[in-house]
Amino acid sequence: NAGVMQNPRHLVRRRGQEARLRCSPMKGHSHVYWYRQLPEEGLKFMVYLQKENIIDESGMPKERFSAEFPKEGPSILRIQQVVRGDSAAYFCASSTPQYGYTFGSGTRLTVV
Amino acid sequence: SQQGEEDPQALSIQEGENATMNCSYKTSINNLQWYRQNSGRGLVHLILIRSNEREKHSGRLRVTLDTSKKSSSLLITASRAADTASYFCATGLTGGGNKLTFGTGTQLKVEL
């Protein structure tokens, strides 16, 4: 059981480029959550997905950010036209329907 | 404002002492969880306490929950240098699915 796998661990993008962050949930987990952590702050909820469905995207910025969790393959958090303020650590977690949160190690995005 | 707010923001103690961190929240919750995060790393789940529980133990950890005061405390007994990390509380809201709302964290430093 490899846990929640996120890649890449570190990602550097120039302003205006696109960032794609991947998350493979734990085996048997059908729920995926994305959180963002700014330096010296706690985690802020972004989006909650189940296979092929977005359940709650109340924490997603209205523009440039999107997320998907296809039937096959990892969940993707996509940030278009990145800006310096997008620099943060992005964490993915997966769970079972009851409870069972497991976090990945995160992707640290730096926008230069 | 944050659903969960920890205090103190930072705590420095000597090895062998006990460390107590507090968390306050605002709305009705289903459960409250504590996580540890080492610098630059992902989150590690420590303990979950449900809204109908008042106290829970796990090794050197003791968590209390007072739903009337909307607060929780995490006690680490006989602290070790390896306990140095940031500690976050996270609340699962009633009706909020499995989405967690994180506090701002307490930075604990245990000195030799």
Side-chain angles (χ1 to χ4, degrees):
Chain A
N1 192 344
V4 177
M5 303 300 293
Q6 287 189 250
N7 67 82
R9 290 291 300 272
H10 298 274
L11 180 62
V12 179
R13 283 286 177 265
R14 297 187 188 280
R15 281 179 292 171
Q17 290 185 319
E18 179 180 287
R20 280 188 180 231
L21 289 64
R22 295 175 183 76
C23 170
S24 296
M26 281 187 70
K27 188 176 180 181
H29 285 193
S30 56
H31 298 228
V32 166
Y33 310 81
W34 285 94
Y35 289 80
R36 176 165 63 177
Q37 184 179 33
L38 295 171
E40 310 299 325
E41 293 189 12
L43 275 72
K44 299 279 177 58
F45 169 78
M46 298 181 76
V47 62
Y48 163 33
L49 310 103
Q50 294 179 22
K51 284 285 187 182
E52 299 185 279
N53 286 306
I54 297 175
I55 306 302
D56 182 348
E57 56 181 348
S58 58
M60 287 280 270
K62 297 289 183 229
E63 297 176 345
R64 303 188 296 108
F65 284 71
S66 62
E68 62 176 10
F69 188 16
K71 188 176 181 181
E72 302 291 338
S75 175
I76 306 286
L77 178 67
R78 183 179 174 209
I79 311 172
Q80 295 177 291
Q81 299 174 325
V82 296
V83 301
R84 289 235 170 97
D86 297 333
S87 295
Y90 291 84
F91 290 96
C92 168
S94 70
S95 77
T96 60
Q98 296 79 26
Y99 154 69
Y101 245 72
T102 303
F103 276 90
S105 297
T107 293
R108 278 146 189 86
L109 172 66
T110 302
V111 179
V112 297
Chain B
S1 60
Q2 289 282 335
Q3 161 71 340
E5 295 190 5
E6 288 94 332
D7 92 274
Q9 283 192 313
L11 179 62
S12 183
I13 60 174
Q14 298 292 314
E15 199 171 47
E17 294 180 336
N18 296 342
T20 299
M21 288 159 267
N22 303 296
C23 168
S24 61
Y25 58 92
K26 291 182 169 59
T27 62
S28 178
I29 64 169
N30 181 283
N31 64 78
L32 187 143
Q33 305 177 37
W34 285 90
Y35 289 83
R36 183 184 72 214
Q37 184 180 37
N38 289 85
S39 181
R41 307 292 293 273
L43 278 79
V44 175
H45 179 261
L46 295 176
I47 198 165
L48 175 147
I49 186 165
R50 299 191 188 281
S51 58
N52 60 352
E53 298 175 309
R54 291 296 166 259
E55 189 171 311
K56 208 159 183 181
H57 295 255
S58 176
R60 293 184 296 113
L61 306 180
R62 173 177 166 250
V63 168
T64 62
L65 178 64
D66 187 336
T67 52
S68 67
K69 294 181 180 177
K70 291 186 168 56
S71 67
S72 173
S73 68
L74 170 67
L75 169 66
I76 304 174
T77 60
S79 62
R80 305 167 183 167
D83 295 328
T84 295
S86 293
Y87 292 81
F88 295 92
C89 70
T91 50
L93 302 180
T94 301
N98 273 350
K99 179 174 75 175
L100 294 179
T101 302
F102 282 81
T104 50
T106 293
Q107 293 185 17
L108 173 66
K109 184 175 182 180
V110 181
E111 300 184 22
L112 294 168

